[in-house]
Amino acid sequence: MNNLIVICQSGGKFSTASDGSLSYVGGDAHAISVSRETKFDELRLEIADMWKYGTDSMTIKYFLPNNKRTLITISSDKDVQRFLDFHGNSGTVDVFVIKNESSTALAAVTPSTTEATPVPPRKRSTRKRVIQQEYPLNVTPVAQAPAPAFLASASASASENAGGFNSLATVPTEVQNVGQMKRVKLWENCITGLHQQFNNVREVRDAFRKYSIAQGFTIKFKKNDSMRVSAKCSVDGCPWRIFASRLSTTHLFRIKRLNEIHTCGAGTSTDSHPRASKKVVEGIVKEKLRDSPNVKPKEIANQIQQEFGIELRYSQVRRWMEAATEEIQGSYKEAYNQLPWLCEKIVETNPGTAVSLNTREDLSFHRLFIAFHASLHGFQSGCRPLLFLDTMSLQSKYQSELLTAAAVDGNYGIFPVAFAIVDVVNDDNWHWFLVQLKTALPTFQPITFVADRQMGLRQSISVVFENSYHAYCLRYLSEELKRDLKGPCIHEIIGVIVGHLYDAAYAPTLDAFRKCIESIKSISPEAYDWILQSDPENWANSLFHGARYNHITSGIAESFYSWLTELAALPIIKIIETIRHKLMELIYTRKVESDQWLTRLTPSVEDKLQKEILKAQSLQVMFSPTNTFEVQDFLGAVNVVNIDAWDCSCREWQLNGFPCLHAVAVLQHIGRDVYDYCSKYYTTEAFRLTYSESIKPVPTVDKPVLGESSEVQVNPSPLRRVSGSPKKRRIRSRGVVKRPLHCSRCKGEGHNKVSCHVVS
């Protein structure tokens, strides 16, 4: 391929469009040429030299073709080659150089980084707008004047203090952190002069507020709507004024009038007390939440206190975090009402996708099943008939659980097939999930399901999928064993028992299984009896009748869905969209990777087979006129191989799906091709069929904006119960006499000095 022209951009910022795609605005750009011989270190040094960055203080990212939602990081030589593979047919491609700041506060105080997510402009009210002053929160100086610091108390009568907000606690008068002064001083540059531009009206308001804090005065907005913002100094007679308005046909704002003269002494008096409004503090909380979505309220309160000297209560931060999360992610309640629209769009853009949405009689959310056409086609075309069923709790204030069905591709990679969000995990929802899966998979071959035996699946699998098999997940089985075993010192030996249990499950032959079970019996007869009653034919390799390819646990899908537990609570629409984005990226990335493979088998299986070929060199094959052979190893042990039945007495060939070392020795001895005796699911051709279909994007341009007057189609499921027993009011027993009150002022009974009416 020819050299690729790479346009390196830095110094700007990303903004999110209404459809979720990202765009890069501002900054500088340089062009370089990258070839197949370019190493990562060379690329990093050349880019670092452009902006005089340190090589370890920057990150290089790019977009995949036709995907403007996900940024991919370049951090190794392999990443560079993948980058060239993805964009090999492009003439030019953009990469984004992001400098890693040592302190998030530096990004939080510049006006260009606030409110990266655009918000639709509010409709103008027909009523006359009442302009009120932003009631400030008093602050105390930081270290030494005139550097501003924050928050001594707040006026309880402030009209802004909605939602129960009353005041902020007092900050110590002497703050030792010198960094506070530097961070606040940066806000002095929020306003640089006339003709300064902002990306939206929210940046304008935020910059005005921060500038007033840094300069030590309070502003009062005179005009404050989606088209213009004007403010003045709140001190009567002070001429300081500023006016910014929206540029026509754009969302940009520009400062058009500015009088920088103060007669009130702002920023000059050492006794001045600069003030921070509640909205400024809310903005700081929002910025920190956007940078770290999983941060806890206490952590944010500590950071703000250390960085800005603002001391906040836990309840205040939590309330602001909830409001900011809903503003960033969208309303949790409205997200449920948008589910019918999303289901319709998914089916419209991805024909063949199975979607089913159910509500209860009161229209509350019950369950939602989704299986994309690309996943269904990939499973039936190239995956082994093996499905792993598991469940996962979602981070949400409403009751919601995730049910998953996943397969394994020919390279031992996770391949999600279907998922469902339900209000509760029970037998009925699992049965419904399997019915939907059966409808979406009109297959006639038996399927092996690996799942917990306690999830109500034993009967449902046999009823819905006839002639299929249910393999118990050994992880859940071992946890059940730990709960059921009783007795002294059991905690000291339970680890050894579980180890033997896994050995018994993996044992390929019945003799090896019995040896492991006898080892458990010698340690704990109670555990031995429990294991024999746990249906070993559903979890032991030597007794299982289905084909599960040596997989004994169902948690394989956790590697794909683990991000759900790492992120903060998301609206249900965001959860579904994020799963779809990750599936899109997974399918596209693996499709591109497989195009580079040159082997007949997938790389993982090719590596395993080569190891068996290497071990087979020391074996001796006994000649046989039939297709059944005896193979002897260097210890004299003999195994019998039947090449027509793809069978070996060691049972590794049957369990794994590719020839064991004994089968390899026989096949090489008679001049057969070893690759002809591997399962078709391990071929590169089958892998490419698995990822041959792609998931199409779902446009959100016509996404309905629901309000209070909108028709309700789906209500949220019930709120999730808080863990722990509910608090109960203490009920005094009958006959218990309450201790009477005594007044210390008049020495009387029945009241205290606070309610005493005796005049002292």
Side-chain angles (χ1 to χ4, degrees):
M1 76 177 249
N2 297 326
N3 291 356
L4 182 65
I5 304 301
V6 177
I7 301 175
C8 307
Q9 302 188 52
S10 183
K13 70 165 191 173
F14 288 99
S15 60
T16 308
S18 58
D19 62 351
S21 61
L22 299 174
S23 60
Y24 197 75
V25 181
D28 298 326
H30 296 271
I32 61 174
S33 177
V34 178
S35 66
R36 285 285 181 186
E37 290 72 29
T38 303
K39 300 297 182 183
F40 171 67
D41 289 338
E42 299 173 358
L43 177 65
R44 181 170 58 173
L45 285 172
E46 186 172 359
I47 292 177
D49 188 57
M50 293 176 182
W51 287 281
K52 306 303 179 184
Y53 291 163
T55 55
D56 295 330
S57 64
M58 66 179 189
T59 304
I60 306 172
K61 294 180 178 289
Y62 67 96
F63 287 118
L64 292 173
N66 303 319
N67 183 350
K68 295 294 185 180
R69 291 182 173 87
T70 307
L71 286 166
I72 308 300
T73 302
I74 301 178
S75 59
S76 65
D77 293 338
K78 191 174 182 179
D79 288 340
V80 175
Q81 296 303 315
R82 287 176 178 169
F83 167 70
L84 295 173
D85 292 338
F86 296 154
H87 293 281
N89 297 326
S90 304
T92 62
V93 62
D94 294 330
V95 300
F96 309 99
V97 184
I98 303 171
K99 189 174 182 182
N100 304 326
E101 298 288 354
S102 59
S103 172
T104 58
L106 292 175
V109 295
T110 55
S112 61
T113 60
T114 59
E115 307 296 341
T117 304
V119 177
R122 298 176 180 175
K123 294 182 179 180
R124 292 193 184 185
S125 174
T126 56
R127 296 181 302 171
K128 184 177 180 180
R129 183 180 180 90
V130 179
I131 306 299
Q132 293 183 339
Q133 176 180 344
E134 290 205 22
Y135 288 87
L137 306 175
N138 296 341
V139 296
T140 54
V142 177
Q144 60 182 17
F150 294 76
L151 298 173
S153 63
S155 173
S157 61
S159 61
E160 284 189 340
N161 299 342
F165 177 86
N166 291 319
S167 63
L168 294 179
T170 304
V171 178
T173 55
E174 193 69 26
V175 181
Q176 300 299 325
N177 187 1
V178 180
Q180 295 174 10
M181 179 173 60
K182 295 180 179 179
R183 293 183 182 97
V184 178
K185 289 286 285 182
L186 289 174
W187 288 359
E188 294 181 353
N189 298 322
C190 287
I191 304 298
T192 58
L194 280 174
H195 311 302
Q196 180 182 355
Q197 287 192 178
F198 303 88
N199 289 328
N200 51 58
V201 67
R202 313 199 96 188
E203 285 191 5
V204 176
R205 296 166 182 156
D206 192 59
F208 285 9
R209 295 184 183 112
K210 289 180 177 179
Y211 179 79
S212 67
I213 294 170
Q215 294 293 336
F217 68 98
T218 304
I219 62 171
K220 181 165 64 175
F221 286 98
K222 301 295 291 181
K223 302 289 185 182
N224 191 3
D225 53 45
S226 60
M227 299 299 295
R228 55 187 177 175
V229 180
S230 66
K232 64 183 288 291
C233 180
S234 62
V235 177
D236 292 337
C238 183
W240 188 92
R241 299 284 190 280
I242 190 168
F243 174 79
S245 62
R246 181 175 169 181
L247 300 179
S248 59
T249 71
T250 72
H251 290 286
L252 299 177
F253 274 71
R254 178 179 293 171
I255 296 178
K256 296 184 177 179
R257 292 196 297 272
L258 174 62
N259 185 349
E260 300 181 89
I261 300 174
H262 274 285
T263 59
C264 61
T268 59
S269 173
T270 57
D271 296 326
S272 64
H273 290 264
R275 297 165 178 261
S277 72
K278 167 178 165 281
K279 288 191 175 181
V280 172
V281 185
E282 283 180 332
I284 298 173
V285 173
K286 188 188 302 180
E287 290 167 1
K288 292 191 172 294
L289 187 62
R290 183 179 285 112
D291 294 337
S292 304
N294 297 323
V295 68
K296 304 297 182 184
K298 188 174 182 180
E299 296 174 357
I300 285 188
N302 291 338
Q303 291 175 13
I304 292 177
Q305 199 281 329
Q306 293 172 4
E307 295 177 9
F308 304 106
I310 307 175
E311 193 166 306
L312 304 173
R313 294 195 305 270
Y314 177 90
S315 59
Q316 292 171 325
V317 179
R318 181 180 177 182
R319 186 163 58 250
W320 290 338
M321 285 180 64
E322 290 176 353
T325 301
E326 185 166 320
E327 185 176 335
I328 295 171
Q329 302 291 355
S331 170
Y332 292 90
K333 186 175 181 179
E334 291 180 4
Y336 280 94
N337 209 20
Q338 292 172 342
L339 284 176
W341 169 86
L342 179 63
C343 294
E344 181 182 344
K345 278 297 178 183
I346 289 177
V347 175
E348 178 185 326
T349 55
N350 292 268
T353 296
V355 177
S356 178
L357 172 63
N358 291 167
T359 59
R360 297 189 181 274
E361 293 181 358
D362 59 354
L363 295 181
S364 63
F365 174 80
H366 188 192
R367 50 201 181 190
L368 169 66
F369 174 91
I370 297 178
F372 287 98
H373 169 69
S375 298
L376 298 173
H377 176 272
F379 174 71
Q380 296 180 94
S381 302
C383 289
R384 289 160 274 181
L386 179 66
L387 283 175
F388 301 83
L389 305 180
D390 206 358
T391 181
M392 180 182 299
S393 294
L394 297 176
Q395 298 273 6
S396 175
K397 62 181 180 179
Y398 299 107
Q399 293 180 11
S400 52
E401 307 285 337
L402 183 71
L403 309 183
T404 63
V408 179
D409 62 31
N411 201 38
Y412 293 95
I414 174 68
F415 184 75
V417 177
F419 67 93
I421 299 177
V422 298
D423 53 357
V424 64
V425 177
N426 55 25
D427 296 354
D428 177 61
N429 279 337
W430 266 118
H431 183 83
W432 172 83
F433 179 80
L434 290 174
V435 170
Q436 302 303 317
L437 189 61
K438 175 66 175 179
T439 305
L441 290 173
T443 178
F444 298 100
Q445 61 178 334
I447 297 178
T448 297
F449 292 90
V450 182
D452 182 15
R453 70 170 183 164
Q454 298 294 340
M455 289 198 302
L457 291 170
R458 250 189 294 194
Q459 294 181 349
S460 296
I461 289 176
S462 60
V463 171
V464 179
F465 287 87
E466 298 178 1
N467 302 322
S468 292
Y469 304 94
H470 182 189
Y472 296 162
C473 172
L474 205 66
R475 184 186 65 177
Y476 290 114
L477 191 69
S478 61
E479 291 176 356
E480 189 179 345
L481 172 63
K482 294 176 184 179
R483 290 193 301 266
D484 292 346
L485 283 185
K486 308 294 181 183
C489 304
I490 193 66
H491 63 280
E492 298 178 0
I493 60 174
I494 191 63
V496 179
I497 294 175
V498 170
H500 285 303
L501 177 65
Y502 272 81
D503 293 339
Y506 278 114
T509 63
L510 192 57
D511 289 340
F513 171 79
R514 287 170 179 163
K515 289 180 180 179
C516 297
I517 296 299
E518 289 298 324
S519 298
I520 295 175
K521 184 177 181 180
S522 63
I523 299 172
S524 171
E526 182 185 1
Y528 174 80
D529 294 336
W530 189 95
I531 289 173
L532 290 183
Q533 297 174 10
S534 64
D535 305 326
E537 64 274 11
N538 288 90
W539 54 265
N541 275 341
S542 58
L543 301 172
F544 189 68
H545 297 293
R548 62 176 183 179
Y549 297 87
N550 226 10
H551 291 281
I552 64 174
T553 60
S554 63
I556 190 170
E558 290 182 358
S559 59
F560 178 79
Y561 293 102
S562 60
W563 57 270
L564 285 170
T565 59
E566 297 170 0
L567 291 179
L570 296 174
I572 189 170
I573 288 283
K574 290 282 187 180
I575 293 174
I576 297 170
E577 283 294 276
T578 308
I579 291 176
R580 183 180 62 81
H581 291 160
K582 289 186 176 292
L583 279 172
M584 288 176 61
E585 184 177 351
L586 176 77
I587 292 175
Y588 179 82
T589 303
R590 290 184 179 172
K591 183 180 186 304
V592 172
E593 287 180 353
S594 65
D595 290 340
Q596 310 300 318
W597 296 350
L598 302 177
T599 55
R600 184 172 172 181
L601 302 180
T602 61
S604 295
V605 181
E606 179 72 28
D607 182 62
K608 293 177 181 292
L609 184 60
Q610 290 301 321
K611 291 179 180 178
E612 298 298 318
I613 293 174
L614 185 63
K615 291 186 288 186
Q617 296 176 0
S618 61
L619 302 180
Q620 183 180 358
V621 180
M622 307 298 180
F623 180 77
S624 173
T626 64
N627 288 325
T628 302
F629 297 82
E630 291 184 353
V631 181
Q632 183 177 358
D633 61 19
F634 67 95
L635 295 177
V638 176
N639 284 274
V640 179
V641 178
N642 187 328
I643 58 175
D644 286 341
W646 289 30
D647 181 90
C648 179
S649 58
C650 75
R651 300 199 72 246
E652 294 291 345
W653 192 359
Q654 300 93 300
L655 292 174
N656 295 320
F658 55 86
C660 61
L661 69 163
H662 311 108
V664 169
V666 171
L667 293 171
Q668 290 181 333
H669 180 75
I670 62 177
R672 300 279 183 91
D673 190 349
V674 176
Y675 292 92
D676 291 339
Y677 292 84
C678 295
S679 172
K680 65 177 182 179
Y681 301 112
Y682 292 140
T683 62
T684 299
E685 180 184 1
F687 185 92
R688 289 171 179 165
L689 284 174
T690 303
Y691 296 97
S692 59
E693 295 288 333
S694 60
I695 297 178
K696 307 299 188 297
V698 177
T700 58
V701 176
D702 57 344
K703 181 178 179 180
V705 179
L706 304 176
E708 295 181 358
S709 60
S710 302
E711 180 184 357
V712 176
Q713 301 182 55
V714 184
N715 281 320
S717 52
L719 290 171
R720 191 184 298 275
R721 288 186 177 182
V722 181
S723 59
S725 58
K727 295 182 179 180
K728 296 181 179 179
R729 181 175 296 177
R730 181 183 175 187
I731 301 176
R732 296 182 180 273
S733 302
R734 292 184 178 181
V736 177
V737 180
K738 185 178 180 181
R739 182 176 66 86
L741 295 174
H742 290 276
C743 179
S744 60
R745 176 177 295 171
C746 69
K747 309 304 180 184
E749 293 186 357
H751 66 277
N752 54 24
K753 68 176 183 179
V754 176
S755 57
C756 183
H757 298 288
V758 178
V759 180
S760 58

